[in-house]
Amino acid sequence: MDAKTGFFYLFSVVLLYSAFRVITARNPVHAVLHLILAFSQAAGVWLLLKAEFLAIVLILVYLGAVMVLFMFVVMMLDIRVDALRQGFWKNFPVAAGMGALIALEMAAVLMGGFGSVDEPKAMVAAVDAAGNAVPYFNARELGRLMYTQYLYPVEIAAVILLLAMVAAIALTLRRRKDSKFVDPATQVRVRAEDRVRLVQLAPTQQATPESVIVSEEKKA
């Protein structure tokens, strides 16, 4: 077994373990951390498939931005795990049946679709109109396909991600009983007469030495 095959099995085992822990972890924060580990191992598998651009995008976008956003959302939502687990065993047979069906469908597609796929080979440099050799770059070819042939799907995905971000922010803006809230409109409409009240007090006289002696005698 060569080094490439060894790395593939290593990444695959860690990926399967982290994916299993995502759905079995009791703490939502631990589930998000295992999801980050799963994405990093998937990026390693893509590197072995010579898709280095997709691997870098997965690490920068998902691990650097989306997973951090998920982490903050999970921590700010203050999810009660006990309330979510009340109907777990009641819905477990339906969930297990759906999971088994999806697993069988994926196995059928993967075994039938990737059986005749050869190992990716190095692309030959293209030639422009002047006869000069143009080097091949995965990033350039992928960008060309995304913004020409697949422009509308990319725009739809961008809109869906934007809606997901707005929904995540809206969930964190719920009113809690233990948080203090100040209405900005009330602060803007405030007037000095409502906040400050001037009171006139009678002037006080300075104490004389005779009055101080009398007060001390009364205390004695």
Side-chain angles (χ1 to χ4, degrees):
M1 183 175 63
D2 56 352
K4 184 177 180 180
T5 307
F7 278 113
F8 173 76
Y9 283 114
L10 176 63
F11 291 150
S12 301
V13 170
V14 179
L15 176 60
L16 292 176
Y17 168 75
S18 57
F20 178 75
R21 288 294 298 163
V22 168
I23 60 176
T24 57
R26 295 180 178 273
N27 194 340
V29 179
H30 294 170
V32 174
L33 292 176
H34 283 94
L35 186 58
I36 294 175
L37 179 61
F39 281 154
S40 63
Q41 302 306 306
V45 174
W46 279 357
L47 284 176
L48 296 178
L49 295 176
K50 299 179 181 180
E52 63 277 358
F53 178 77
L54 295 179
I56 295 174
V57 169
L58 180 63
I59 293 176
L60 293 179
V61 175
Y62 283 90
L63 270 68
V66 178
M67 283 297 99
V68 175
L69 177 63
F70 286 173
M71 179 68 72
F72 278 103
V73 168
V74 168
M75 296 176 65
M76 287 188 296
L77 283 179
D78 193 12
I79 301 175
R80 296 181 180 179
V81 183
D82 298 335
L84 296 177
R85 292 182 177 274
Q86 291 180 357
F88 176 77
W89 294 108
K90 180 181 179 181
N91 301 322
F92 179 76
V94 179
M98 293 297 295
L101 179 61
I102 294 174
L104 291 176
E105 291 178 353
M106 292 181 62
V109 171
L110 293 177
M111 292 180 180
F114 292 93
S116 59
V117 176
D118 299 331
E119 183 179 358
K121 300 179 182 179
M123 297 296 296
V124 181
V127 179
D128 57 3
N132 300 322
V134 179
Y136 178 84
F137 296 104
N138 290 334
R140 183 176 60 189
E141 296 300 327
L142 184 60
R144 183 180 301 173
L145 287 175
M146 287 176 59
Y147 294 103
T148 54
Q149 185 176 354
Y150 299 100
L151 178 61
Y152 290 113
V154 169
E155 292 181 352
I156 294 174
V159 173
I160 293 175
L161 289 176
L162 179 61
L163 293 178
M165 290 180 60
V166 173
I169 296 173
L171 288 175
T172 60
L173 294 179
R174 63 180 182 177
R175 182 171 296 181
R176 299 176 56 179
K177 297 181 180 180
D178 56 347
S179 62
K180 296 181 181 180
F181 176 75
V182 179
D183 189 5
T186 305
Q187 291 181 333
V188 173
R189 292 194 303 267
V190 70
R191 298 180 303 174
E193 295 80 3
D194 300 335
R195 294 295 182 92
V196 181
R197 185 177 62 178
L198 301 179
V199 180
Q200 295 183 357
L201 298 177
T204 57
Q205 298 179 357
Q206 188 176 4
T208 59
E210 292 80 4
S211 61
V212 173
I213 295 173
V214 172
S215 60
E216 290 180 356
E217 291 179 353
K218 289 182 180 180
K219 291 181 180 179

